[in-house]
Amino acid sequence: MKKRSIYLAAFAIAAIGIAMFLVKLDRLGLPLTPNQDTAVWTIEARARFEAKGGPLTARLEIPAAPLGFEILDEDFISSNYGVTTEREDLKRTSIWTVRRAKGKQSVYYRMSVVEADSVKQHTDAFPGFPDRPEREEAFDSAIEALLEKVRNESADITSFTGALIRRVNKLEGDSAVGLLNDGEVTASRRALQLVDILASARIPARVVWGISLEDEVRNAPLVPYVEVHNQSVWLPFDPLTGGKGYPDGFLIWYIGSNPLLDLEGAKNGEVHFAVARTLREMVDVAAQRAQKGDSMWFDFSLFALPIQTQNVYRVLLTVPLGAFLVVLLRGFVGIKTFGTFMPVLIALAFRETELWVGILLFVTIVGLGLWIRFLLERLQLLLVPRLAAVLTIVVLLMLTISIVSFHLGMDTGISVALFPMVILAMTIERMSLVWEETGGRDAITQGAGSLLVASACYLVVSNAYLAHLSYVFPELLLVVLAAAIVLGRYTGYRLLEFWRFRSVWLGRGDAS
Amino acid sequence: MTGRWRWPWRALREAGILGMNERNFSYIKAENPRRLFPLVDDKAKTKQLAAKAGIAFPELYGLISSDAEVRTFQKIIEGKQKFVVKPAHGSGGNGILVIRSVRNGRYFRANGTFLDELGMEHHLSNILSGMYSLGGRPDQVLIERCVEFDPIFDEVTFQGVPDIRTIVYRGYPVAAMVRLPTRRSDGKANLHQGAVGAGIDLKTGRTTHAIMAGQPVTHHPDTGHVLAGIQIPGWRNLLTLAAHCWDVVPLGYLGVDIVLDRDYGPLVLELNARPGLAIQMANRRGLRPALARVQALPRVPTTAEQRAAFAMGEGELPVAAVAEAEDARSTSG
C-alpha cells in the first residue's frame, strides 16, 4: 500500500509536468525540436509627400489585427513629427503631425509579423443592409438588369457575388458592363465599383486592401479584395477573377474605401511597401509574441531571465538527465564509479572539449596525477595537505597541457582548462586510495567505469534535442523526477550481478 | 552445465540470491536505523557497549584521539611486543597494522616488513586525519591486544588474521563464512582484496565451499591445503556470541566478525552495518530463504542461545516463548 501511494505521487508529479508541457506547447507555440526557424516578415510602409509649408497632418492606414498574422513588433519612424495612433475596431490609423514643414517629406511605419494559423475570415458583426446608391437613371436600370441576370444564375450570396464578378469582368456583351468598363480597368477601381453594385442588391460589401508577402520586394503593390457579408462572416473575393478567399501570405493592411494616405497641408502623397523575410528561432519569436500578449507563462519562465543566466540554465537543466542516467547505470546495470555524480560533472566538461579529446585529456591528467601522487606518498603527507598538493599538481598539469597543445597548434588541448579541477584532484586521490587498498585492477576498473558513465552522460547532456526540451520545457524534468522516484524503489538484480553470480545460473553452483 | 537453460533472473531468484539493490533497500534501509550506525562505525564505542554486555572483545590497550596524544603511544605499548593498531572508523581492514615484535625502535609487521618510529607516527597521524574513515572525518586510533589465533586455520592462512563473518538477521544468524588471508590480500581478511572466503554450514560449523576473487576455489592458493571440511571448534558458542551482538547493537541486518583466540576462544573483532553479498557465493547458497525463514518468526523476546539453536536447525523457537508472545498479542489486541 505504501508502494502504491509512492507510485501515485510519482504519477501525479509526472501528470503535472506533462500537463504544463502540453499547455505551453499549445499556448505559446514553442517548438519541440531545436533550431526550428520561423519566417518573420518585415514590412515597411514609406509615405512620401510634399509639404506646403504650414501645419501638416498625414494619416496613414495601418493594420490593426491582420488576419492570419501576429504582430511581433512595430516602429513609427519620422523626424520632428509627433505620432499618435487611432484605433476603431479593425481600423487603425497612424497620424503624423508637425507644426511647420516644407519640401519633400518621408515618414515610415515598419512592422514585423509572423504567420499564425488562424482561419482567414473576418467575423465582425453584420453591418446592416446598405442603402441603394443614387445613380443616373439609364445607368441605374442597366445595373438593375445586370443584377437580375446574376440573380437568376445564383442561389445565395456567395454564388451571387461570384457570378456578378465574372459577368462584370467579361469584356463583351452587356450594356451595363460596357458602361462599367469605360476607361482603364484596375483592380482597385473594380473593387470600388463592385461594392457600389452590391449595395444596389442590398448586400453589405467592403474593400479590403493588402499585400502579398514575397521576399525581397522593394515596391509591393496594395492589392484590393472585396468582402461581402453573408449574415455570419465576411467572404473575400478577388475583384477581377471572382476567386474566393485570400491567397497564402496575404497580409491585410486596411479595410475601407477611403485612401491609404490622407494628407492635410501636403500634396503628391505616395506610399511604397517594402517586404523582407527573415528566419528567426521559433523560441525567440514565441518569447517576443508572449511578451506582447503579457503571458504569465513567460513572465515566470526562464525567458524572463538575463541572457547570461539563461545560458547557465541551458547547461544546468541537462544535469538532471545525466543524474537520471547515473541512477540507471549504477542501480540497474551496476557500474561502479568514483563518487556518485562525479561522472555528470565530467560529462559537463566533455561538452566543452568534445568527447574523444575530453577522454584523452581526462586519462592524461588522471594518469600523470596518479603517478605524481605515488611519488608524493614517499613524503608521507597528511590527508589535507596531500589533497592540496594533488590539486596544485592538477592545475599545473592542466596549464602544461594547454601550453604544449597550443604550441603544437591543437586548439582542443586548451579546453582542458574547463575541466573541474577539484573533481580531477578528488578522482586522483580516491583512485590512489582504491589502488592501495584493493589493487590496481579495482582502481582501473572503477576509473574506466567512471569514464564510461561520464561518456554516456555526455551523450545525454550534449544531445541537442534533449537539451532543447529541458531548456524550453523545464517542467518535463518533473517527469524525470517521477521516473527517479519510481525507479528508486527497484530492488531487483543489477545487470552486472548476473555476471557476479554467474556460477549460480551457469549451474556450477549446484554441484555437491 | 545443467543443460536446461534458465533465464539468469529466474535462476538467481530460485537460488535465493540477494541482490545489492534489495540488500540496500529491504535490509539495510529498512532494518538498520541510521542512528545506530555510529555504534558500529566507531569501534571504540562498540567496544564500550560490548564490554557492558559481557561480549568478548580483544583487550583494548589504549586510545589515541588527537595528535597531541600521539606521544602517549610509547606508554601504551610499553613492555608489549605484539599489538594491533587500527582506526576506530576504519572499514574493510584498511589502516590496520599488526605488529608482531618491537626491536630497536622498529615495529615488525606480520608480513615481515617494518616501520620505524617516524613511519609509525605518520601512520597514527594518517588515521587521526581521517584517511581510513568513511568520508574522511577525523578519527581515533585503537591499540589493542594482538589475537593469538587458534591454530585451526594455520594450514589455510597466509599471514594475517582469519576471521569468521556471520550475518545476523533480527538476531538470528543466517549465514557464516570464514575469511582466510592470502598473499594477494596482504594478510587482510578482506574478500575484495583477494582473501579466500569459505562458507560454513550453520548446522555443523564445518566449512563447505570456497571462493576467491568471485571464483570457486578448492585449495588455498598459498598453502595448497583443502579448504572444505574444516571443523570450527565451539561452533555453538561462536554462533551464540554472534547472535548476542544483536542484543547490544540492534541492527536488523548485522555483520559480526569473530576471531578465534587460542586462549580466549571466540572474540568479536568488529560489527558491520553493511555486510557484503559475497557470503552467498562462499556458501553457494542465497540468503533469501534464510532471511524469509526468520521473517516468518513471531517477534518475541528470545535469548541468544535460542536464536543460535534455531540457526543450527534445532526445531522452531521454544514453544513457551511463542505461546507467551501469542498470549501477549491476544490480550493487547
Side-chain angles (χ1 to χ4, degrees):
Chain A
M1 194 186 121
K2 212 174 161 194
K3 203 157 181 170
R4 209 179 64 183
S5 62
I6 278 167
Y7 286 147
L8 220 63
F11 177 78
I13 290 170
I16 290 170
I18 290 172
M20 283 173 74
F21 162 71
L22 289 178
V23 167
K24 262 173 87 172
L25 195 64
D26 182 55
R27 291 276 172 78
L28 302 178
L30 287 164
L32 271 175
T33 49
N35 297 322
Q36 263 190 3
D37 289 329
T38 187
V40 174
W41 296 95
T42 306
I43 303 111
E44 187 182 80
R46 177 189 186 203
R48 283 202 294 188
F49 41 81
E50 276 172 51
K52 289 172 180 166
L56 190 153
T57 305
R59 303 167 65 89
L60 179 72
E61 302 294 339
I62 55 172
L67 277 183
F69 288 92
E70 250 180 278
I71 300 175
L72 291 179
D73 198 14
E74 56 184 359
D75 281 313
F76 301 84
I77 304 153
S78 58
S79 50
N80 306 325
Y81 285 80
V83 186
T84 53
T85 56
E86 266 176 15
R87 178 160 185 177
E88 193 186 334
D89 296 331
L90 292 173
K91 191 176 161 68
R92 200 157 67 114
T93 314
S94 159
I95 304 158
W96 278 276
T97 50
V98 68
R99 173 73 64 180
R100 192 171 286 126
K102 201 166 166 56
K104 284 188 177 162
Q105 306 281 320
S106 292
V107 293
Y108 298 86
Y109 168 71
R110 189 163 60 211
M111 72 192 302
S112 46
V113 295
V114 59
E115 269 180 85
D117 44 6
S118 48
V119 188
K120 283 211 171 184
Q121 248 170 5
H122 283 119
T123 52
D124 43 311
F126 186 68
F129 296 106
D131 293 329
R132 297 171 72 105
E134 303 268 324
R135 293 197 183 89
E136 275 176 53
E137 179 113 11
F139 190 42
D140 198 45
S141 55
I143 297 277
E144 276 307 317
L146 172 66
L147 289 176
E148 193 56 40
K149 274 181 203 156
V150 174
R151 230 172 246 130
N152 286 336
E153 52 191 58
S154 62
D156 56 5
I157 289 177
T158 313
S159 55
F160 180 88
T161 314
L164 177 70
I165 293 173
R166 276 192 300 278
R167 199 162 266 280
V168 167
N169 282 309
K170 233 187 258 170
L171 285 176
E172 67 273 4
D174 233 288
S175 60
V177 175
L179 283 170
L180 289 170
N181 287 347
D182 190 24
E184 196 196 353
V185 177
T186 60
S188 51
R189 186 179 154 211
R190 179 70 85 218
L192 293 165
Q193 277 176 351
L194 283 169
V195 171
D196 192 55
I197 297 168
L198 285 163
S200 297
R202 308 216 63 191
I203 296 171
R206 62 188 184 185
V207 186
V208 172
W209 307 85
I211 301 165
S212 280
L213 295 182
E214 271 173 67
D215 197 11
E216 295 288 323
V217 173
R218 301 196 61 82
N219 205 343
L222 207 54
V223 181
Y225 271 73
V226 173
E227 277 189 346
V228 294
H229 204 285
N230 72 350
Q231 313 256 2
S232 64
V233 293
W234 289 94
L235 301 166
F237 290 90
D238 185 318
L240 293 178
T241 65
K244 252 183 78 182
Y246 293 115
D248 284 340
F250 187 76
L251 175 77
I252 292 168
W253 195 264
Y254 80 107
I255 300 166
S257 302
N258 56 315
L260 172 64
L261 178 66
D262 184 33
L263 295 168
E264 268 173 53
K267 57 182 182 182
N268 296 337
E270 54 181 17
V271 182
H272 292 283
F273 292 97
V275 179
R277 178 171 173 266
T278 47
L279 289 175
R280 273 166 60 188
E281 267 201 46
M282 263 172 95
V283 176
D284 294 346
V285 174
Q288 201 175 357
R289 203 156 70 186
Q291 269 167 14
K292 233 177 152 57
D294 284 332
S295 170
M296 285 264 292
W297 286 94
F298 262 90
D299 286 351
F300 291 96
S301 79
L302 268 176
F303 299 102
L305 296 173
I307 292 291
Q308 259 184 321
T309 319
Q310 282 190 34
N311 285 338
V312 172
Y313 276 106
R314 240 177 227 278
V315 177
L316 285 191
L317 284 170
T318 60
V319 170
L321 299 175
F324 183 69
L325 187 70
V326 172
V327 169
L328 290 182
L329 290 177
R330 282 174 68 102
F332 285 72
V333 180
I335 298 176
K336 281 184 183 160
T337 60
F338 289 117
T340 316
F341 290 117
M342 182 276 263
V344 185
L345 297 174
I346 296 293
L348 289 182
F350 284 171
R351 269 172 66 100
E352 313 293 333
T353 60
E354 291 188 0
L355 188 57
W356 293 112
V357 178
I359 291 176
L360 193 72
L361 290 173
F362 182 83
V363 171
T364 309
I365 293 179
V366 171
L368 287 172
L370 263 180
W371 178 60
I372 295 174
R373 163 72 176 70
F374 281 122
L375 294 183
L376 274 182
E377 187 60 29
R378 293 190 194 165
L379 301 178
Q380 305 202 324
L381 303 174
L382 289 180
L383 179 72
V384 176
R386 193 177 56 225
L387 266 177
V390 172
L391 190 62
T392 311
I393 285 160
V394 165
V395 174
L396 290 176
L397 278 176
M398 285 163 72
L399 179 66
T400 314
I401 290 177
S402 283
I403 291 172
V404 168
S405 63
F406 178 74
H407 281 289
L408 292 177
M410 295 184 295
D411 286 349
T412 41
I414 303 168
S415 58
V416 70
L418 298 160
F419 269 106
M421 57 186 176
V422 175
I423 297 290
L424 285 173
M426 293 299 285
T427 305
I428 290 168
E429 179 64 21
R430 294 179 82 150
M431 200 159 169
S432 71
L433 280 185
V434 172
W435 198 299
E436 267 175 31
E437 288 171 8
T438 67
R441 201 177 139 153
D442 267 28
I444 288 172
T445 310
Q446 282 189 43
S450 302
L451 212 50
L452 188 74
V453 175
S455 305
C457 282
Y458 164 79
L459 294 181
V460 168
V461 300
S462 69
N463 182 303
Y465 188 67
L466 288 175
H468 170 84
L469 277 185
S470 62
Y471 171 65
V472 177
F473 304 103
E475 57 276 359
L476 283 180
L477 293 180
L478 288 176
V479 180
V480 176
L481 174 65
I485 288 173
V486 171
L487 297 185
R489 308 279 291 200
Y490 176 75
T491 58
Y493 297 119
R494 296 172 180 176
L495 209 56
L496 287 178
E497 279 176 345
F498 294 132
W499 174 250
R500 182 181 178 189
F501 299 119
R502 62 192 177 283
S503 57
V504 172
W505 57 274
L506 287 177
R508 269 183 279 153
D510 294 345
S512 67
Chain B
M1 288 283 179
T2 50
R4 191 166 63 90
W5 163 261
R6 288 174 301 170
W7 285 103
W9 181 288
R10 278 202 63 182
L12 292 195
R13 272 287 132 118
E14 280 167 16
I17 296 289
L18 182 70
M20 189 59 86
N21 286 332
E22 193 176 6
R23 181 204 77 164
N24 287 346
F25 188 82
S26 307
Y27 294 95
I28 291 182
K29 195 170 152 53
E31 302 274 347
N32 292 358
R34 279 216 78 89
R35 66 188 162 78
L36 295 179
F37 277 37
L39 300 187
V40 293
D41 289 342
D42 185 343
K43 292 185 185 75
K45 266 188 194 157
T46 322
K47 265 188 197 293
Q48 278 174 4
L49 279 172
K52 272 187 210 157
I55 288 174
F57 258 85
E59 185 193 341
L60 182 67
Y61 290 155
L63 188 67
I64 297 176
S65 309
S66 68
D67 280 308
E69 288 173 31
V70 169
R71 279 175 291 137
T72 65
F73 178 70
Q74 292 300 334
K75 207 184 265 176
I76 292 170
I77 61 156
E78 211 175 348
K80 295 181 173 83
Q81 282 290 311
K82 296 179 177 183
F83 56 90
V84 176
V85 173
K86 61 163 72 165
H89 284 96
S91 65
N94 298 311
I96 296 178
L97 277 184
V98 180
I99 303 302
R100 308 293 290 183
S101 66
V102 185
R103 264 178 293 145
N104 306 330
R106 286 177 171 180
Y107 303 96
F108 288 87
R109 297 178 59 188
N111 64 5
T113 62
F114 67 87
L115 277 88
D116 54 12
E117 300 273 352
L118 200 69
M120 178 58 81
E121 262 176 43
H122 177 67
H123 186 73
L124 296 177
S125 293
N126 262 345
I127 292 175
L128 290 171
S129 76
M131 184 167 164
Y132 303 103
S133 72
L134 295 166
R137 278 169 307 174
D139 204 355
Q140 294 173 312
V141 186
L142 301 179
I143 296 119
E144 57 183 33
R145 197 180 79 88
C146 181
V147 175
E148 292 298 331
F149 51 91
D150 196 293
I152 181 76
F153 296 126
D154 275 359
E155 290 186 329
V156 285
T157 299
F158 182 81
Q159 298 168 347
V161 183
D163 70 358
I164 295 159
R165 153 69 57 92
T166 308
I167 294 201
V168 177
Y169 180 54
R170 294 185 183 171
Y172 295 87
V174 287
M177 69 171 165
V178 56
R179 302 187 295 188
L180 305 163
T182 60
R183 187 193 297 273
R184 185 168 155 190
S185 76
D186 190 24
K188 286 175 188 151
N190 184 334
L191 261 57
H192 281 295
Q193 294 171 342
V196 165
I200 302 171
D201 180 18
L202 286 186
K203 283 195 178 91
T204 62
R206 199 182 286 272
T207 57
T208 53
H209 315 280
I211 52 157
M212 191 178 66
Q215 289 299 306
V217 286
T218 53
H219 297 77
H220 192 278
D222 304 314
T223 68
H225 279 271
V226 176
L227 293 161
I230 301 168
Q231 175 66 50
I232 290 154
W235 180 240
R236 186 182 295 270
N237 283 346
L238 193 147
L239 271 190
T240 307
L241 180 64
H244 193 25
C245 286
W246 179 72
D247 297 322
V248 179
V249 181
L251 288 168
Y253 189 74
L254 182 66
V256 179
D257 298 344
I258 292 175
V259 286
L260 291 177
D261 191 278
R262 193 173 56 202
D263 309 317
Y264 295 82
L267 302 174
V268 174
L269 258 193
E270 61 179 89
L271 301 179
N272 195 320
R274 308 171 193 82
L277 299 173
I279 197 166
Q280 302 181 107
M281 304 299 296
N283 279 296
R284 292 204 187 163
R285 180 181 295 163
L287 276 168
R288 299 179 94 235
L291 294 168
R293 219 158 65 92
V294 175
Q295 271 160 13
L297 292 175
R299 294 220 186 200
V300 295
T302 48
T303 62
E305 287 81 12
Q306 286 170 339
R307 294 194 299 269
F310 177 82
M312 292 177 75
E314 291 168 13
E316 300 305 306
L317 278 182
V319 180
V322 178
E324 241 173 66
E326 260 153 27
D327 280 353
R329 209 181 297 161
S330 61
T331 51
S332 70

